[in-house]
Amino acid sequence: MEKIFIARLMPVALSLSALFLAGCHEDAATHSTAPPSAVPLAAMVIPVCVNGECLVLDQKGSVLVNGDNTYAVALSVPLNSTFIYAEDGQWNVANADGTQVIKPAFTEGLRLLTPGFFGFERDGKWGVMDQQGNEVQPPAYDDIYPGGGTAQGQYIVYGLDDKYGLLSAEGHVITAPLFDSLLTHKDSALAGGWVSAERDGQNWAINLQTRELKSVGFDKFVEYANEHFVVSQGRKKGLADASNTLLTELKYDWMGVPGDGLVAFKENFDSLCGYLDFKGQVAIAPSYDACEVFGHKGALVKAVGDDGNKGKYGFLARSGEWLIQPSFDSAEPAVHSPLGMLTSVPGFTQTGNLQNMFTVYFGLFDTDKGVELFKPEYAQIGVLTPDRFVFAKPDSPKKTITFLGSANQLATLGLMDAKGKVLIEPGQYVALTLDKSGRFIRAWTDTSRLATTALYDLNGKLLVPAHWQEVVIDEQRGALFAYELEGTPSDETRSLRALYSLDGTPGFETRTVGCDVQQVIDGSGKVLWPTDPEHLCGESDDATETQQQG
């Protein structure tokens, strides 16, 4: 089941991890079709906690409630016109400037669910409320938490009498509490909007959009692409359509990613591979050592070697004829990962040629057009969009990173367009990833969980500098939120540290001054709080320790 996030206030010690003082853990599910810079900042109320004190700002960095208040802590979630704070062991909802308590002392237990919705506890039961404190669901559940593969999710799971049901992102009932387990194996939007469930040994699929509930003959979604699923029951896989109707038997040990009407398969792990069409019929007989994803023109497949030689990859048409004779030493999915966990992107495959026993150079092949886009001349290369690519040249600067306790040298990555024009020079980042909106690039300075990350637009313009560990994109509200992460996964603190508009204009930021005191400044650099940090120098260590307990 998904991880549960709880903010519980104990009557005596009002301390809790800043993990629960978080905003959205993932980017907003709704994205504007306008260019990012054209979306203005929406009106917001934003608590920011520093040095054990919490002030409240608006989206422009203007102070609504200064840090000289009686709040034990404030929930650092950007809301529309309210904020949530704790006092005397209870959570409260107040209006924007704190002059009116809209929902006083309503719970000791609070949970972040979906954007703008919270779980609250009363008499040992959990309900759902919106950001105004209105009860969407009365407290009637034994358990409640976010679902959808993200910490602040795309739907809500509730438990009652040892069974589980689903609520929508807005807290409305999708299913009764019928199931023994519920699971999204990846972002539900990337799984066709489906959630898998199990009840009394029977497998079910639930569609979050249509609310269809369907008995199915498989227990897991493996891949979703080209409006088709690869699904599995135990270790055996099969193909299903977008409605989760099986198109094949669950009899294959391996299946690839569905692509342009075909999906690769192996009957057994040591079998040769071929391709099925989307009716489940063999379209290309299993005659190859390895089979990549099909594009419009064809796919890169590995010929069977002869006389003890390893086979090479060529470009194969749907007819089974070679469009380009085998010449590449390797072919892999084209989304780059510094740790080797490559994923597919429609229309592209990464190619590779051995330079010597220890060195491979990589290129990119366009499987939709049937042309070699970049020759294998790069130390690393991968696709972000059809005209934006990450790359490292053989002479690009390297960084030493530690993975699983051992030091490794990684080439730093840059960004280029389809003509090879460099938009971000290699030298600082070991990973560049496309945000799921398709409009922003995340740039990671290290591979560790607490590495700092920057945000760029697709033209290589820096929007958020690499000062903090997490950047949350909220296109609907025109905002970029930067968070500082500290601690271990089981006891992580997460603190809002900056707000930017989508074009990178700062609304407010925090900086460290003096004796490691956090100071909040507005977009023009004007100090907001504390104005005199020196008096906190003797208190900062104690305040930080108190804020991070929980």
Side-chain angles (χ1 to χ4, degrees), residues 19-210:
L19 170 64
F20 309 122
L21 311 180
C24 304
H25 279 60
E26 272 294 325
D27 307 335
T30 301
H31 302 291
S32 167
T33 57
S37 59
V39 181
L41 273 171
M44 285 178 281
V45 179
I46 311 166
V48 179
C49 297
V50 293
N51 315 312
E53 299 171 323
C54 298
L55 65 157
V56 182
L57 307 177
D58 69 9
Q59 73 283 357
K60 298 178 181 178
S62 299
V63 176
L64 300 174
V65 181
N66 67 29
D68 186 16
N69 56 61
T70 61
Y71 308 148
V73 75
L75 199 66
S76 197
V77 177
L79 300 181
N80 295 341
S81 59
T82 59
F83 67 96
I84 300 173
Y85 71 95
E87 195 172 49
D88 298 328
Q90 296 283 323
W91 290 105
N92 307 262
V93 180
N95 68 341
D97 62 7
T99 57
Q100 180 184 355
V101 180
I102 298 170
K103 192 176 181 70
F106 64 92
T107 190
E108 292 181 7
L110 194 68
R111 295 184 179 179
L112 305 179
L113 296 176
T114 55
F117 292 88
F118 306 86
F120 69 96
E121 185 183 22
R122 184 187 302 150
D123 298 328
K125 295 290 186 178
W126 289 89
V128 180
M129 74 173 202
D130 65 18
Q131 57 187 287
Q132 298 290 333
N134 301 311
E135 295 187 9
V136 180
Q137 293 292 339
Y141 305 129
D142 299 328
D143 201 2
I144 199 163
Y145 55 90
T150 62
Q152 190 168 20
Q154 299 161 309
Y155 58 88
I156 299 167
V157 179
Y158 70 92
L160 185 62
D161 298 331
D162 296 323
K163 296 288 185 180
Y164 293 90
L166 287 179
L167 306 176
S168 70
E170 297 78 27
H172 304 305
V173 175
I174 295 178
T175 74
L178 300 172
F179 304 102
D180 299 315
S181 66
L182 289 160
L183 186 62
T184 300
H185 295 277
K186 55 176 66 177
D187 184 330
S188 64
L190 302 179
W194 290 89
V195 176
S196 58
E198 188 269 334
R199 176 188 180 189
D200 299 329
Q202 173 63 47
N203 297 310
W204 296 80
I206 305 162
N207 190 283
L208 297 173
Q209 281 76 47
T210 65

Side-chain angles (χ1 to χ4, degrees), residues 329-330 351-356 358-362 378-380:
D329 292 319
S330 70
T351 59
N353 278 338
L354 285 168
Q355 305 302 302
N356 54 53
F358 304 104
T359 304
V360 182
Y361 285 173
F362 299 99
Y378 294 86
Q380 296 290 348

Side-chain angles (χ1 to χ4, degrees), residues 16-22 492-496 547-549:
L16 77 167
S17 167
L19 170 64
F20 309 122
L21 311 180
E492 182 180 85
T493 65
R494 185 173 183 267
S495 306
L496 181 61
Q547 189 178 13
Q548 294 184 359
Q549 290 176 351

